[in-house]
Structure formats: structure tokens, C-alpha cells
Amino acid sequence: MKQLYLDLGMGAAGDMLTAALLELCPHKDGIIKKLNSLNIPGVHYEREIMKKSAICGTHMHVIVNGSEEECGHEHEEGHHEHSHHHHISMSDIGEIVSKLNTSEKIKKQILDVYNIIADAESRVHGEPVSQIHFHEVGTLDALADVCGCALLMYLITPEKVFASPLHVGSGFVKCAHGILPVPAPATAELLKGIPFYTGSIKGELLTPTGAAILRHYVEGFEEMPVMTLEHI
């Protein structure tokens, strides 16, 4: 049985999950071409091989309209109407996804994850899903991560997906609504029913995008089962 196990001892963000899944695949450059052929408006994927502590790994860059979004809290924007930035609604997300150059099955996976995100935001802000709006650049960056994971999961086709309990970090995170505790409200909503811990590392290790992707795909959060490794 092909099982996928995600070790989340340092949390998860959408780009981290995309990079980890890409490392399981042969013909990585071809997959990057597939990602860029999705035609997400203004979005371009780039893969970089990086070395940290003498260990090689993949870093995924998502370029939105020519610039890269800073790491941070993608979704705690809610219906923040006084911002000068453009905002995107769930209906906008649906329209973008409907025009993607991919199969209906992958489109459904993308929308399922985004509906999980919008649901959490709706509960946090006390607004119906139709009234939830996201900051444009951050949302396209996050949408690129959700699309990347959906395509890669489809290509890898694991029969089961498991993960470790989630390390979410600790302390506080700065976002559109000010300084919020870790896990921030939307992330906490997404964590309901999932085992997680804070630990001693200060900062946000789990983003809302990462939490929503995991909530959608992972069947169980537990210690690593007995496995025979094929790919890492």
C-alpha cells in the first residue's frame, strides 16, 4: 500500500507542503511546467534547491505579479474593508478555479480546501461565507499553494495520508487585525479535532493555508507507523 506520512514537527505552510510533495516526484522540472500551465492569474512557480545545515532540500517560490509574497499570515484578513488593498471573495476564487487549465477532479479538490478556509474565516469574523474577503496578493499566493498540493496529490496518488500531531509554534503573530496569539483564530478553528502542541519555538509554524490543506487530505494524525521507505 502506498502511504504518505507527513512529519509536521516544524509545522506546515502551503509552500512547505508543495515543496515536500514535489520531492517525492520524478521529473520535477516537468511538474513545475505543469504548475505554471495551470494559468493562475499573475502567478508563477519557481523551484530552488537550497542547503541548510548542510542538508539539501527544495524551496518553492510563488511569484505574484512579479513579486514574492512575504511569509506570514495569509488569511487573517477576513472582511477588513478599510484596507487600501484589493480583496478577493469566495465567488472570485470559484471563478478563477473554474478557468484553470486542469481536470474537474483537481478543481474540486482545490475548491474543497478553499471552502474549509472560508468556513473557518466565517466563524472567526461572524460573517456569512459570501461576505468573507481575502487580501488579493496573499490569497493568490495561498491559492497557488492549494493548487500545487492538489496537483501533486493527484500525481502521487497515495492510498492513505497520515501525519504527526501538529507543532503550531507559540507566542504571537502580526496580521491585518493587529497582534494575535499563536495559533491565530482561523488556524485554531481549522485545528478543531486535530492533535497539536505549541512547544517552545516562538512564532507561527502553522499557517491557515497549511492547516486547511492538512485538514482536507490527512486521514489520521498519529506517531509514525511501521513503514518501508521508498521516497523522502
Side-chain angles (χ1 to χ4, degrees):
M1 177 184 291
K2 188 195 289 185
Q3 296 185 81
L4 174 61
Y5 186 80
L6 301 167
D7 182 352
L8 305 172
M10 281 301 289
D15 60 338
M16 293 164 63
L17 291 168
T18 305
L21 293 173
L22 182 62
E23 288 210 349
L24 300 176
C25 301
H27 315 302
K28 295 173 180 58
D29 290 340
I31 291 172
I32 294 296
K33 285 182 182 175
K34 274 183 184 287
L35 288 169
N36 284 318
S37 72
L38 290 172
N39 294 329
I40 307 171
V43 166
H44 181 75
Y45 295 86
E46 291 181 7
R47 167 183 172 242
E48 181 183 6
I49 304 302
M50 296 186 72
K51 186 178 283 190
K52 290 190 177 181
S53 302
I55 307 297
C56 284
T58 297
H59 180 70
M60 285 295 296
H61 296 279
V62 173
I63 313 299
V64 179
N65 297 323
S67 62
E68 191 165 9
E69 175 77 345
E70 292 295 319
C71 291
H73 209 68
E74 303 100 322
H75 291 296
E76 285 297 341
E77 302 285 350
H79 60 292
H80 191 65
E81 294 174 3
H82 303 296
S83 171
H84 297 295
H85 297 291
H86 295 292
H87 288 75
I88 292 178
S89 67
M90 269 304 296
S91 63
D92 294 329
I93 294 289
E95 189 167 340
I96 291 169
V97 172
S98 72
K99 295 175 181 175
L100 293 180
N101 180 29
T102 191
S103 69
E104 292 304 314
K105 185 172 183 179
I106 292 174
K107 289 178 186 178
K108 182 181 183 306
Q109 296 289 312
I110 295 164
L111 286 176
D112 285 349
V113 173
Y114 242 92
N115 281 323
I116 290 171
I117 295 168
D119 245 11
E121 294 289 355
S122 173
R123 291 193 296 273
V124 166
H125 297 293
E127 298 281 352
V129 166
S130 62
Q131 297 300 310
I132 295 299
H133 291 79
F134 306 112
H135 173 260
E136 182 180 36
V137 175
T139 298
L140 288 172
D141 180 76
L143 180 60
D145 294 335
V146 174
C147 292
C149 286
L151 177 63
L152 284 158
M153 282 288 194
Y154 176 78
L155 294 174
I156 296 166
T157 60
E159 292 170 63
K160 286 193 174 181
V161 182
F162 296 99
S164 66
L166 268 161
H167 187 179
V168 301
S170 65
F172 299 89
V173 63
K174 186 182 289 187
C175 71
H177 297 295
I179 308 271
L180 296 176
V182 173
T187 308
E189 284 287 338
L190 291 163
L191 284 167
K192 284 180 177 176
I194 294 173
F196 72 93
Y197 59 99
T198 56
S200 60
I201 296 174
K202 299 296 181 186
E204 181 188 53
L205 298 184
L206 176 69
T207 66
T209 306
I213 292 168
L214 294 168
R215 188 169 191 90
H216 178 66
Y217 288 105
V218 176
E219 296 179 38
F221 293 83
E222 58 193 52
E223 297 304 323
M224 188 180 289
V226 175
M227 299 173 70
T228 302
L229 285 176
E230 291 183 13
H231 303 287
I232 301 172

PDB file of all heavy atoms in Angstrom, residues 1-6 21 24 153 156-163 219-220 222-232:
ATOM      1  N   MET A   1       0.840  -1.195   0.000  1.00  0.00           N
ATOM      2  CA  MET A   1       0.000   0.000   0.000  1.00  0.00           C
ATOM      3  C   MET A   1       0.878   1.249   0.000  1.00  0.00           C
ATOM      4  O   MET A   1       1.827   1.348   0.767  1.00  0.00           O
ATOM      5  CB  MET A   1      -0.910   0.008   1.244  1.00  0.00           C
ATOM      6  CG  MET A   1      -1.764   1.263   1.346  1.00  0.00           C
ATOM      7  SD  MET A   1      -2.740   1.350   2.857  1.00  0.00           S
ATOM      8  CE  MET A   1      -3.916   0.042   2.560  1.00  0.00           C
ATOM      9  N   LYS A   2       0.552   2.208  -0.865  1.00  0.00           N
ATOM     10  CA  LYS A   2       1.304   3.462  -0.924  1.00  0.00           C
ATOM     11  C   LYS A   2       0.736   4.431   0.124  1.00  0.00           C
ATOM     12  O   LYS A   2      -0.354   4.968  -0.031  1.00  0.00           O
ATOM     13  CB  LYS A   2       1.195   4.079  -2.313  1.00  0.00           C
ATOM     14  CG  LYS A   2       2.118   5.294  -2.502  1.00  0.00           C
ATOM     15  CD  LYS A   2       1.754   6.117  -3.733  1.00  0.00           C
ATOM     16  CE  LYS A   2       2.116   5.374  -5.002  1.00  0.00           C
ATOM     17  NZ  LYS A   2       1.871   6.240  -6.199  1.00  0.00           N
ATOM     18  N   GLN A   3       1.494   4.602   1.203  1.00  0.00           N
ATOM     19  CA  GLN A   3       1.092   5.518   2.264  1.00  0.00           C
ATOM     20  C   GLN A   3       1.991   6.751   2.255  1.00  0.00           C
ATOM     21  O   GLN A   3       3.190   6.642   2.038  1.00  0.00           O
ATOM     22  CB  GLN A   3       1.204   4.845   3.634  1.00  0.00           C
ATOM     23  CG  GLN A   3       0.281   3.658   3.829  1.00  0.00           C
ATOM     24  CD  GLN A   3       0.372   3.128   5.243  1.00  0.00           C
ATOM     25  OE1 GLN A   3      -0.232   3.653   6.159  1.00  0.00           O
ATOM     26  NE2 GLN A   3       1.150   2.080   5.423  1.00  0.00           N
ATOM     27  N   LEU A   4       1.395   7.905   2.496  1.00  0.00           N
ATOM     28  CA  LEU A   4       2.143   9.146   2.618  1.00  0.00           C
ATOM     29  C   LEU A   4       2.078   9.583   4.077  1.00  0.00           C
ATOM     30  O   LEU A   4       0.991   9.721   4.644  1.00  0.00           O
ATOM     31  CB  LEU A   4       1.523  10.216   1.719  1.00  0.00           C
ATOM     32  CG  LEU A   4       2.087  11.631   1.819  1.00  0.00           C
ATOM     33  CD1 LEU A   4       3.560  11.663   1.442  1.00  0.00           C
ATOM     34  CD2 LEU A   4       1.298  12.578   0.935  1.00  0.00           C
ATOM     35  N   TYR A   5       3.254   9.772   4.679  1.00  0.00           N
ATOM     36  CA  TYR A   5       3.311  10.230   6.068  1.00  0.00           C
ATOM     37  C   TYR A   5       4.009  11.583   6.115  1.00  0.00           C
ATOM     38  O   TYR A   5       5.120  11.738   5.607  1.00  0.00           O
ATOM     39  CB  TYR A   5       4.061   9.231   6.957  1.00  0.00           C
ATOM     40  CG  TYR A   5       4.013   9.622   8.429  1.00  0.00           C
ATOM     41  CD1 TYR A   5       2.886   9.353   9.196  1.00  0.00           C
ATOM     42  CD2 TYR A   5       5.082  10.274   9.020  1.00  0.00           C
ATOM     43  CE1 TYR A   5       2.827   9.723  10.531  1.00  0.00           C
ATOM     44  CE2 TYR A   5       5.031  10.652  10.353  1.00  0.00           C
ATOM     45  CZ  TYR A   5       3.905  10.366  11.116  1.00  0.00           C
ATOM     46  OH  TYR A   5       3.846  10.750  12.437  1.00  0.00           O
ATOM     47  N   LEU A   6       3.349  12.562   6.723  1.00  0.00           N
ATOM     48  CA  LEU A   6       3.884  13.916   6.842  1.00  0.00           C
ATOM     49  C   LEU A   6       4.369  14.144   8.266  1.00  0.00           C
ATOM     50  O   LEU A   6       3.579  14.056   9.216  1.00  0.00           O
ATOM     51  CB  LEU A   6       2.796  14.939   6.488  1.00  0.00           C
ATOM     52  CG  LEU A   6       2.217  14.806   5.073  1.00  0.00           C
ATOM     53  CD1 LEU A   6       0.953  15.642   4.934  1.00  0.00           C
ATOM     54  CD2 LEU A   6       3.247  15.218   4.035  1.00  0.00           C
ATOM     55  N   LEU A  21       5.965  17.583  -1.262  1.00  0.00           N
ATOM     56  CA  LEU A  21       5.316  16.671  -2.206  1.00  0.00           C
ATOM     57  C   LEU A  21       6.087  16.603  -3.524  1.00  0.00           C
ATOM     58  O   LEU A  21       6.222  15.529  -4.113  1.00  0.00           O
ATOM     59  CB  LEU A  21       3.872  17.116  -2.459  1.00  0.00           C
ATOM     60  CG  LEU A  21       2.921  17.009  -1.259  1.00  0.00           C
ATOM     61  CD1 LEU A  21       1.574  17.640  -1.590  1.00  0.00           C
ATOM     62  CD2 LEU A  21       2.733  15.560  -0.819  1.00  0.00           C
ATOM     63  N   LEU A  24       8.893  14.100  -3.786  1.00  0.00           N
ATOM     64  CA  LEU A  24       8.537  12.686  -3.955  1.00  0.00           C
ATOM     65  C   LEU A  24       8.415  12.295  -5.423  1.00  0.00           C
ATOM     66  O   LEU A  24       8.278  11.117  -5.740  1.00  0.00           O
ATOM     67  CB  LEU A  24       7.202  12.395  -3.251  1.00  0.00           C
ATOM     68  CG  LEU A  24       7.152  12.652  -1.743  1.00  0.00           C
ATOM     69  CD1 LEU A  24       5.744  12.405  -1.223  1.00  0.00           C
ATOM     70  CD2 LEU A  24       8.153  11.778  -1.002  1.00  0.00           C
ATOM     71  N   MET A 153      -0.831  15.891  -5.172  1.00  0.00           N
ATOM     72  CA  MET A 153      -1.531  14.754  -4.567  1.00  0.00           C
ATOM     73  C   MET A 153      -2.145  13.869  -5.643  1.00  0.00           C
ATOM     74  O   MET A 153      -2.133  12.640  -5.550  1.00  0.00           O
ATOM     75  CB  MET A 153      -2.618  15.239  -3.605  1.00  0.00           C
ATOM     76  CG  MET A 153      -2.089  15.700  -2.273  1.00  0.00           C
ATOM     77  SD  MET A 153      -1.523  14.291  -1.262  1.00  0.00           S
ATOM     78  CE  MET A 153      -1.391  15.103   0.344  1.00  0.00           C
ATOM     79  N   ILE A 156       0.781  11.912  -7.218  1.00  0.00           N
ATOM     80  CA  ILE A 156       1.365  10.912  -6.306  1.00  0.00           C
ATOM     81  C   ILE A 156       0.378   9.786  -6.020  1.00  0.00           C
ATOM     82  O   ILE A 156       0.774   8.632  -5.853  1.00  0.00           O
ATOM     83  CB  ILE A 156       1.816  11.588  -4.991  1.00  0.00           C
ATOM     84  CG1 ILE A 156       2.947  12.589  -5.280  1.00  0.00           C
ATOM     85  CG2 ILE A 156       2.279  10.562  -3.953  1.00  0.00           C
ATOM     86  CD1 ILE A 156       3.224  13.536  -4.124  1.00  0.00           C
ATOM     87  N   THR A 157      -0.897  10.121  -5.971  1.00  0.00           N
ATOM     88  CA  THR A 157      -1.998   9.177  -5.688  1.00  0.00           C
ATOM     89  C   THR A 157      -1.733   8.258  -4.491  1.00  0.00           C
ATOM     90  O   THR A 157      -1.723   7.028  -4.634  1.00  0.00           O
ATOM     91  CB  THR A 157      -2.343   8.318  -6.925  1.00  0.00           C
ATOM     92  OG1 THR A 157      -1.173   7.560  -7.313  1.00  0.00           O
ATOM     93  CG2 THR A 157      -2.816   9.170  -8.067  1.00  0.00           C
ATOM     94  N   PRO A 158      -1.508   8.816  -3.296  1.00  0.00           N
ATOM     95  CA  PRO A 158      -1.352   7.942  -2.124  1.00  0.00           C
ATOM     96  C   PRO A 158      -2.690   7.293  -1.779  1.00  0.00           C
ATOM     97  O   PRO A 158      -3.756   7.905  -1.955  1.00  0.00           O
ATOM     98  CB  PRO A 158      -0.923   8.917  -1.024  1.00  0.00           C
ATOM     99  CG  PRO A 158      -1.495  10.232  -1.439  1.00  0.00           C
ATOM    100  CD  PRO A 158      -1.466  10.245  -2.942  1.00  0.00           C
ATOM    101  N   GLU A 159      -2.614   6.039  -1.303  1.00  0.00           N
ATOM    102  CA  GLU A 159      -3.843   5.374  -0.886  1.00  0.00           C
ATOM    103  C   GLU A 159      -4.285   5.849   0.496  1.00  0.00           C
ATOM    104  O   GLU A 159      -5.476   5.831   0.808  1.00  0.00           O
ATOM    105  CB  GLU A 159      -3.622   3.854  -0.885  1.00  0.00           C
ATOM    106  CG  GLU A 159      -3.424   3.301  -2.290  1.00  0.00           C
ATOM    107  CD  GLU A 159      -2.957   1.855  -2.255  1.00  0.00           C
ATOM    108  OE1 GLU A 159      -3.731   1.002  -1.756  1.00  0.00           O
ATOM    109  OE2 GLU A 159      -1.830   1.581  -2.710  1.00  0.00           O
ATOM    110  N   LYS A 160      -3.313   6.237   1.324  1.00  0.00           N
ATOM    111  CA  LYS A 160      -3.628   6.798   2.637  1.00  0.00           C
ATOM    112  C   LYS A 160      -2.654   7.927   2.931  1.00  0.00           C
ATOM    113  O   LYS A 160      -1.486   7.858   2.557  1.00  0.00           O
ATOM    114  CB  LYS A 160      -3.523   5.739   3.741  1.00  0.00           C
ATOM    115  CG  LYS A 160      -4.669   4.737   3.751  1.00  0.00           C
ATOM    116  CD  LYS A 160      -4.671   3.927   5.043  1.00  0.00           C
ATOM    117  CE  LYS A 160      -5.900   3.026   5.102  1.00  0.00           C
ATOM    118  NZ  LYS A 160      -5.939   2.237   6.357  1.00  0.00           N
ATOM    119  N   VAL A 161      -3.153   8.957   3.626  1.00  0.00           N
ATOM    120  CA  VAL A 161      -2.305  10.075   4.044  1.00  0.00           C
ATOM    121  C   VAL A 161      -2.408  10.218   5.553  1.00  0.00           C
ATOM    122  O   VAL A 161      -3.501  10.396   6.093  1.00  0.00           O
ATOM    123  CB  VAL A 161      -2.719  11.403   3.369  1.00  0.00           C
ATOM    124  CG1 VAL A 161      -1.775  12.538   3.784  1.00  0.00           C
ATOM    125  CG2 VAL A 161      -2.740  11.252   1.849  1.00  0.00           C
ATOM    126  N   PHE A 162      -1.262  10.073   6.224  1.00  0.00           N
ATOM    127  CA  PHE A 162      -1.196  10.234   7.679  1.00  0.00           C
ATOM    128  C   PHE A 162      -0.252  11.381   8.006  1.00  0.00           C
ATOM    129  O   PHE A 162       0.543  11.803   7.168  1.00  0.00           O
ATOM    130  CB  PHE A 162      -0.662   8.964   8.354  1.00  0.00           C
ATOM    131  CG  PHE A 162      -1.556   7.767   8.183  1.00  0.00           C
ATOM    132  CD1 PHE A 162      -1.293   6.809   7.219  1.00  0.00           C
ATOM    133  CD2 PHE A 162      -2.665   7.606   9.012  1.00  0.00           C
ATOM    134  CE1 PHE A 162      -2.115   5.709   7.066  1.00  0.00           C
ATOM    135  CE2 PHE A 162      -3.495   6.502   8.871  1.00  0.00           C
ATOM    136  CZ  PHE A 162      -3.224   5.556   7.893  1.00  0.00           C
ATOM    137  N   ALA A 163      -0.330  11.869   9.227  1.00  0.00           N
ATOM    138  CA  ALA A 163       0.582  12.934   9.649  1.00  0.00           C
ATOM    139  C   ALA A 163       0.815  12.829  11.145  1.00  0.00           C
ATOM    140  O   ALA A 163       0.016  12.242  11.885  1.00  0.00           O
ATOM    141  CB  ALA A 163       0.001  14.300   9.301  1.00  0.00           C
ATOM    142  N   GLU A 219      -5.883  11.645   6.803  1.00  0.00           N
ATOM    143  CA  GLU A 219      -6.889  10.761   7.398  1.00  0.00           C
ATOM    144  C   GLU A 219      -6.718  10.606   8.898  1.00  0.00           C
ATOM    145  O   GLU A 219      -7.686  10.366   9.614  1.00  0.00           O
ATOM    146  CB  GLU A 219      -6.820   9.375   6.748  1.00  0.00           C
ATOM    147  CG  GLU A 219      -7.157   9.367   5.278  1.00  0.00           C
ATOM    148  CD  GLU A 219      -7.038   7.976   4.686  1.00  0.00           C
ATOM    149  OE1 GLU A 219      -7.404   6.998   5.379  1.00  0.00           O
ATOM    150  OE2 GLU A 219      -6.559   7.866   3.546  1.00  0.00           O
ATOM    151  N   GLY A 220      -5.479  10.669   9.386  1.00  0.00           N
ATOM    152  CA  GLY A 220      -5.236  10.485  10.813  1.00  0.00           C
ATOM    153  C   GLY A 220      -3.941  11.148  11.234  1.00  0.00           C
ATOM    154  O   GLY A 220      -2.970  11.168  10.477  1.00  0.00           O
ATOM    155  N   GLU A 222      -1.089  10.867  13.925  1.00  0.00           N
ATOM    156  CA  GLU A 222      -0.577   9.894  14.881  1.00  0.00           C
ATOM    157  C   GLU A 222       0.938   9.784  14.743  1.00  0.00           C
ATOM    158  O   GLU A 222       1.533  10.357  13.816  1.00  0.00           O
ATOM    159  CB  GLU A 222      -1.217   8.525  14.610  1.00  0.00           C
ATOM    160  CG  GLU A 222      -0.971   8.030  13.190  1.00  0.00           C
ATOM    161  CD  GLU A 222      -1.834   6.851  12.801  1.00  0.00           C
ATOM    162  OE1 GLU A 222      -3.069   6.922  12.966  1.00  0.00           O
ATOM    163  OE2 GLU A 222      -1.256   5.849  12.330  1.00  0.00           O
ATOM    164  N   GLU A 223       1.561   9.074  15.657  1.00  0.00           N
ATOM    165  CA  GLU A 223       3.002   8.839  15.538  1.00  0.00           C
ATOM    166  C   GLU A 223       3.271   7.981  14.305  1.00  0.00           C
ATOM    167  O   GLU A 223       2.397   7.249  13.837  1.00  0.00           O
ATOM    168  CB  GLU A 223       3.527   8.142  16.802  1.00  0.00           C
ATOM    169  CG  GLU A 223       3.377   8.970  18.072  1.00  0.00           C
ATOM    170  CD  GLU A 223       4.044  10.338  17.981  1.00  0.00           C
ATOM    171  OE1 GLU A 223       5.127  10.443  17.361  1.00  0.00           O
ATOM    172  OE2 GLU A 223       3.472  11.311  18.492  1.00  0.00           O
ATOM    173  N   MET A 224       4.485   8.078  13.776  1.00  0.00           N
ATOM    174  CA  MET A 224       4.812   7.378  12.539  1.00  0.00           C
ATOM    175  C   MET A 224       4.596   5.874  12.654  1.00  0.00           C
ATOM    176  O   MET A 224       5.113   5.244  13.582  1.00  0.00           O
ATOM    177  CB  MET A 224       6.263   7.650  12.141  1.00  0.00           C
ATOM    178  CG  MET A 224       6.631   7.126  10.768  1.00  0.00           C
ATOM    179  SD  MET A 224       8.353   7.454  10.318  1.00  0.00           S
ATOM    180  CE  MET A 224       8.295   9.220  10.066  1.00  0.00           C
ATOM    181  N   PRO A 225       3.805   5.294  11.749  1.00  0.00           N
ATOM    182  CA  PRO A 225       3.600   3.844  11.792  1.00  0.00           C
ATOM    183  C   PRO A 225       4.820   3.114  11.249  1.00  0.00           C
ATOM    184  O   PRO A 225       5.753   3.740  10.735  1.00  0.00           O
ATOM    185  CB  PRO A 225       2.398   3.658  10.859  1.00  0.00           C
ATOM    186  CG  PRO A 225       2.494   4.785   9.891  1.00  0.00           C
ATOM    187  CD  PRO A 225       3.072   5.939  10.665  1.00  0.00           C
ATOM    188  N   VAL A 226       4.836   1.783  11.382  1.00  0.00           N
ATOM    189  CA  VAL A 226       5.903   0.991  10.768  1.00  0.00           C
ATOM    190  C   VAL A 226       5.812   1.157   9.249  1.00  0.00           C
ATOM    191  O   VAL A 226       4.749   0.966   8.666  1.00  0.00           O
ATOM    192  CB  VAL A 226       5.772  -0.499  11.156  1.00  0.00           C
ATOM    193  CG1 VAL A 226       6.805  -1.347  10.410  1.00  0.00           C
ATOM    194  CG2 VAL A 226       5.914  -0.661  12.657  1.00  0.00           C
ATOM    195  N   MET A 227       6.921   1.563   8.647  1.00  0.00           N
ATOM    196  CA  MET A 227       6.914   1.835   7.220  1.00  0.00           C
ATOM    197  C   MET A 227       8.198   1.328   6.568  1.00  0.00           C
ATOM    198  O   MET A 227       9.242   1.281   7.213  1.00  0.00           O
ATOM    199  CB  MET A 227       6.819   3.351   6.963  1.00  0.00           C
ATOM    200  CG  MET A 227       5.582   4.013   7.510  1.00  0.00           C
ATOM    201  SD  MET A 227       5.661   5.819   7.330  1.00  0.00           S
ATOM    202  CE  MET A 227       5.494   5.992   5.565  1.00  0.00           C
ATOM    203  N   THR A 228       8.119   0.966   5.298  1.00  0.00           N
ATOM    204  CA  THR A 228       9.306   0.742   4.475  1.00  0.00           C
ATOM    205  C   THR A 228       9.410   1.922   3.530  1.00  0.00           C
ATOM    206  O   THR A 228       8.534   2.129   2.676  1.00  0.00           O
ATOM    207  CB  THR A 228       9.162  -0.570   3.673  1.00  0.00           C
ATOM    208  OG1 THR A 228       8.965  -1.655   4.582  1.00  0.00           O
ATOM    209  CG2 THR A 228      10.418  -0.823   2.856  1.00  0.00           C
ATOM    210  N   LEU A 229      10.450   2.729   3.687  1.00  0.00           N
ATOM    211  CA  LEU A 229      10.572   3.976   2.931  1.00  0.00           C
ATOM    212  C   LEU A 229      10.909   3.717   1.466  1.00  0.00           C
ATOM    213  O   LEU A 229      11.776   2.915   1.145  1.00  0.00           O
ATOM    214  CB  LEU A 229      11.649   4.876   3.543  1.00  0.00           C
ATOM    215  CG  LEU A 229      11.287   5.590   4.850  1.00  0.00           C
ATOM    216  CD1 LEU A 229      12.504   6.352   5.357  1.00  0.00           C
ATOM    217  CD2 LEU A 229      10.117   6.518   4.648  1.00  0.00           C
ATOM    218  N   GLU A 230      10.222   4.418   0.584  1.00  0.00           N
ATOM    219  CA  GLU A 230      10.546   4.419  -0.834  1.00  0.00           C
ATOM    220  C   GLU A 230      11.073   5.772  -1.272  1.00  0.00           C
ATOM    221  O   GLU A 230      12.054   5.867  -1.997  1.00  0.00           O
ATOM    222  CB  GLU A 230       9.298   4.055  -1.656  1.00  0.00           C
ATOM    223  CG  GLU A 230       8.877   2.596  -1.479  1.00  0.00           C
ATOM    224  CD  GLU A 230       7.695   2.246  -2.352  1.00  0.00           C
ATOM    225  OE1 GLU A 230       7.354   3.050  -3.266  1.00  0.00           O
ATOM    226  OE2 GLU A 230       7.085   1.190  -2.132  1.00  0.00           O
ATOM    227  N   HIS A 231      10.404   6.845  -0.847  1.00  0.00           N
ATOM    228  CA  HIS A 231      10.799   8.198  -1.238  1.00  0.00           C
ATOM    229  C   HIS A 231      10.674   9.123  -0.040  1.00  0.00           C
ATOM    230  O   HIS A 231       9.809   8.931   0.820  1.00  0.00           O
ATOM    231  CB  HIS A 231       9.919   8.726  -2.374  1.00  0.00           C
ATOM    232  CG  HIS A 231       9.928   7.856  -3.587  1.00  0.00           C
ATOM    233  ND1 HIS A 231      11.000   7.779  -4.451  1.00  0.00           N
ATOM    234  CD2 HIS A 231       8.992   7.012  -4.078  1.00  0.00           C
ATOM    235  CE1 HIS A 231      10.729   6.936  -5.416  1.00  0.00           C
ATOM    236  NE2 HIS A 231       9.511   6.448  -5.216  1.00  0.00           N
ATOM    237  N   ILE A 232      11.552  10.139   0.021  1.00  0.00           N
ATOM    238  CA  ILE A 232      11.548  11.098   1.125  1.00  0.00           C
ATOM    239  C   ILE A 232      11.478  12.506   0.548  1.00  0.00           C
ATOM    240  O   ILE A 232      12.220  12.820  -0.380  1.00  0.00           O
ATOM    241  CB  ILE A 232      12.824  10.952   1.990  1.00  0.00           C
ATOM    242  CG1 ILE A 232      12.909   9.526   2.566  1.00  0.00           C
ATOM    243  CG2 ILE A 232      12.825  11.981   3.119  1.00  0.00           C
ATOM    244  CD1 ILE A 232      14.217   9.240   3.255  1.00  0.00           C
TER     245      ILE A 232
END
